[in-house]
Amino acid sequence: MKNTLYILLALFLFQFGFTQNPDRVYKSHSEENNIFTVITNDGNYRFQFYSDNIIETTFIPKAESLKSESHAVVMKPNQVKTSYKYVGNTISFSSNTLSVLIKTAPFQISYSYNGKLITSEKRGYYKSQHQSMEMVAGNIVADETEKIEFNLTKDEVLYGGGARALGMNRRGNRLPLFNRAHYGYETKSELMNYTMPIVLSSKKYMIHFDNAPIGYLDFDSKNDNTLTYETISGRKTYQVIAGNSWYDIIENYTNLTGKQPMLPRWALGNFSSRFGYHSQKETLETINIFKEDKIPVDAIILDLYWFGKEIKGTMGNLKFDRDSFPNPKQMIKDLKSQNVETILITEPFVLTTSNRWEEAVEKNVLAKDSIGNPAKYDFYFGNTGIVDIYKKEGSQWFSDIYKELSEFGVTGFWGDLGEPEVHPTWVKHATGSADEVHNIYGHDWAKLVYEASLEASPDKRPFILMRAGYSGSQRYGMVPWSGDVNRTWGGLQSQPEIALQMGMQGLGYMHSDLGGFAGANLDDELYARWLQYGVFQPIFRPHAQEEVPSEPVFRSEKAKRFAKFAIEMRYRMLPYNYHLMAQNHIEGTPLMRPLFFEETNNSNLFNYSKAYLWGNDFLVSPVLEAGKTEQEIYFPKTSNWFNIETDEIIKGGVTKTVKLHPAYIPTYVRAGAFIPLAKSMQSTKEYDVNVFQLQYYYDDSIKKSKRELYFDDGHTVNPIEKSQYQILEFEAEKKGGWLHIDFEAETALNYKTESKTIEFVVHNLNKKPKKVLVGREKVTGKYNSKYKTLTLDISWNTATKKRIKVKL
C-alpha cells in the first residue's frame, strides 16, 4: 500500500505540475463521527463522505463558522466504511473507491477514484480584491470575491455551468453564475436562464459547488489549466462525485440533490400554446380546431392574457379577467371533457397598477428596500414589486393563490420570469440580499408551487414549467425550457446541446419552444424540422409570439401535414417515452444522451451534438439547416443500427452520409432492441396500457438482449413508493437455429395484474420461419417478405411467463 500511494502521488505531480496556495500551512488533523478535519494556519478543511462515490469538502476560514444549510443537497451522509493512512507527509481518507489525499508540506489536496487521481485543488480557497460589486453589462464585479481553484490536465473536456449555447465543450469560457434571460438568442449565448454551479470532466468526475449567491465558473479561460469557482459570499463547500460510467455519475449526483418526480402521463403529449390566448372563446375554439383536424392534443397553456387584457400594467392580478374569461370554471370543465388539461402562466412580480398591489403591501408579502418599504422598481411590464417567497407571509400568500387556482381545475402552472428577470442588488429578502438568493429564487419558487399543488390535489402529480432554476431543482418536478430562442435555424441549432448539457446536470426535461419563440419568421421548413426534433425531446410544446402561429392547426396545409405526422409519431412513442420518465425518476438518467456516453473514450465525440441517443435505443440526428437533402451521421460502434423507416441496417463505428426526407428526421434503432409503440390516439387519456405493439429488431450480431417496460396508471403520486406499478421484461436469445423470446412481469404489491394484447413484430428475418411456437401452440403468424418481418398476435396474462420460439 505504501509503495502504491507513493507511485500515485508521483504520477499526480508529473501530471499536474502544481503548487497549492503557498501561504496555507498544515497544522493537524482529526477524525470524529466520520468527519475528517484538517487544521491549517488560516482555517479548517472538513471532509465527509455521503457515499462511496461522493465526498464533500468544506473550507471554514478563521473567524468564520460552518454554514451547513444547502439549497441543493437532500441526501443524508451514509455510514461509509472509511480508511485512514498517514505515510510520510501524505494523509489519505478513503471510501472503497474514492480518496482524498492531503499532502502536508507543501500543503496540497487531491482526489483519486479507484486508484486513479482525478482532480486536485490548485490554490484552493482564497479571497480576491476587486473594485465594485454589481451586475454590469452581463458581468459581475465585486469589491471582494471568494474563489476555489482546481488543476486541470491539458486534455480535459469540460461540461456544465447550466444552459448555455457555446458548443458541448465549455472549456475556455468564463461564465457568470447569474440567472438571466437572453431574448432572441441563436447559436451563441454565454448567459441564460439556468446557470448551474456544476462542472463535469471527460475524465468522468463532477464537481458541484454547493453555494447559491451569484458568481462565476471559469473553465480555464486564461489557458493555464485552471478551473475556478468565484462567488460574492456564502459556503466554501463542494462535492466531488465520481462513478464508473456517465450514468453512474448522474445517478450519484441526483441521489445527492434529489430525483425528478414522475410527471403526469399527459405531460408527454402535445401542448397547444402561444403568446397568447386572449379569451375563453379563443381558447375553446383553438382546441375545437385541433379536434376537427384530428391532431392529438393534451393540454393548453394560457399566457398572461388570462388575468389582463394588456401585456403591460396587469401582472400580479393572478385572477381570471372576467370580461375575457367570463366562466373559467366552465371553460376548464369543457376542456377536461375533451381530455385537455389547463395550464396557467404566473410570475413572481406584483405591479403597482395591478388589482393585488394594495393587498400585497397590506399582507407584507413583498421584498423590501433598504429602509423597510416594499421594494419598487421599473421593468418592461411596469412598476413592480417582487414576492418575497423567503418569508412566511409571502410564501403563504403565493401558495394560497396556487391552491385556489387548483380548485378551479387548473392542473399545471407555468412560472415565467423567475430568474428573476429584474432583481436589483439593493432588494432585500427575508434570508438575504437579491444577489444572495437570485440564483435560487426560481428553484425555491418551484418548491412552493410543487408543494401547493400537492396540498390542493394530493392524488395528482404536479406539472411545473419553469424558466429558471439551479442545482437540485429537478426534485421539485421542474420542467425547464430553454427560454426565448430566436425563430431561426440558428435558434434550432443550439437546442440539442442545451438539452444534452442540462440532462447531464440533473434536469432531464429541458426542452425548447418548438418552432422557436422570438421573431415573425414564417418558415414552414424550419417549423417542420423543429417539430420533428421535438418528437425526440422531453416535452412536445410548440410556442411562439403571436405574430406567427405556433399551433399546427393555423399553419399551411403542408406544414400542418408534417406537424401532424410528427405529433402522431410522438403519441405512438408514449410507452417508450413513459419508460424513460420512470428511468429518470428511479436512476436520474437523462432522456436525451450524448454519444460519448456510448463511447466514453472516443474524444471525437466529446464535442459532438449533431446526433444523440433518445433513451437507450434510438439514435436521432435532427436536421438543423435549411434546404438540406443529406447529412452526415456517426453511428456508435457499440451496435448495429436499423433505419426506423426502411429497416436498412448500418454497421456501428462508421460515419455515413444519409439522404433526408422532408417528413421526418434520420432515426435509427439499436439492434436487439424491443421498442413498444402505442396505437393511434387523440389524447394520452385514450391510451390503453394493455394494448400495444412491440417491435423486436433481431440481428445476428446480438446473441442475447433484454429490455424492460414500466407501467402505472399515469397519475398516482409516488407510484413506486406505493407499489402501484408493473415492469414487463422482454428477453431474446439465439440458441442454435432457434430464436427464444421470453415475456415476464414484475408486478408490485398494489398493482392489479392484467392481460396484455400485443402485436409482436420481429424484424430482419430473411426467410419465412420454418416454425413458430407461442407457448406450446404452433402458430403461423404473418410474414412480410418485402420488409422481412414476422407479426404475431399475442395475448399474455402477465401473472405468468410467456415463451415464443421461432425456428430460423
Side-chain angles (χ1 to χ4, degrees), residues 320-390:
F320 279 97
D321 180 273
R322 290 308 180 106
D323 285 343
S324 302
F325 294 85
N327 193 342
K329 277 192 176 181
Q330 187 61 46
M331 178 191 74
I332 293 169
K333 186 177 179 181
D334 290 345
L335 291 168
K336 182 73 78 174
S337 71
Q338 298 187 76
N339 292 327
V340 175
E341 307 291 334
T342 302
I343 301 167
L344 300 182
I345 195 173
T346 59
E347 302 89 357
F349 298 101
V350 182
L351 300 188
T352 56
T353 54
S354 75
N355 296 336
R356 287 192 189 258
W357 174 257
E358 295 300 330
E359 175 190 337
V361 172
E362 180 184 342
K363 293 188 175 181
N364 193 31
V365 306
L366 301 170
K368 304 291 188 180
D369 62 18
S370 60
I371 58 174
N373 294 321
K376 294 187 291 184
Y377 49 90
D378 293 328
F379 78 142
Y380 174 80
F381 296 95
N383 186 249
T384 193
I386 186 169
V387 178
D388 189 351
I389 59 176
Y390 297 99

Side-chain angles (χ1 to χ4, degrees), residues 524-537:
D524 282 347
E525 183 190 8
L526 172 66
Y527 180 75
R529 291 305 193 194
W530 212 316
L531 267 62
Q532 289 161 9
Y533 159 65
V535 174
F536 305 99
Q537 65 157 24

Side-chain angles (χ1 to χ4, degrees), residues 195-264:
T195 63
M196 304 267 272
I198 292 172
V199 179
L200 298 101
S201 166
S202 56
K203 294 172 64 179
K204 290 207 281 288
Y205 68 86
M206 174 192 286
I207 302 175
H208 170 241
F209 295 97
D210 193 355
N211 192 39
I214 63 175
Y216 277 95
L217 266 181
D218 192 318
F219 292 80
D220 193 28
S221 66
K222 296 179 181 176
N223 196 28
D224 59 357
N225 299 321
T226 306
L227 168 69
T228 307
Y229 170 72
E230 180 177 7
T231 183
I232 59 166
S233 63
R235 307 181 79 210
K236 294 75 170 163
T237 296
Y238 62 85
Q239 293 93 25
V240 175
I241 303 158
N244 292 321
S245 71
W246 286 104
Y247 296 106
D248 290 342
I249 293 168
I250 297 169
E251 182 172 16
N252 293 335
Y253 168 71
T254 51
N255 285 339
L256 181 72
T257 61
K259 292 291 193 293
Q260 176 97 26
M262 294 283 287
L263 302 182

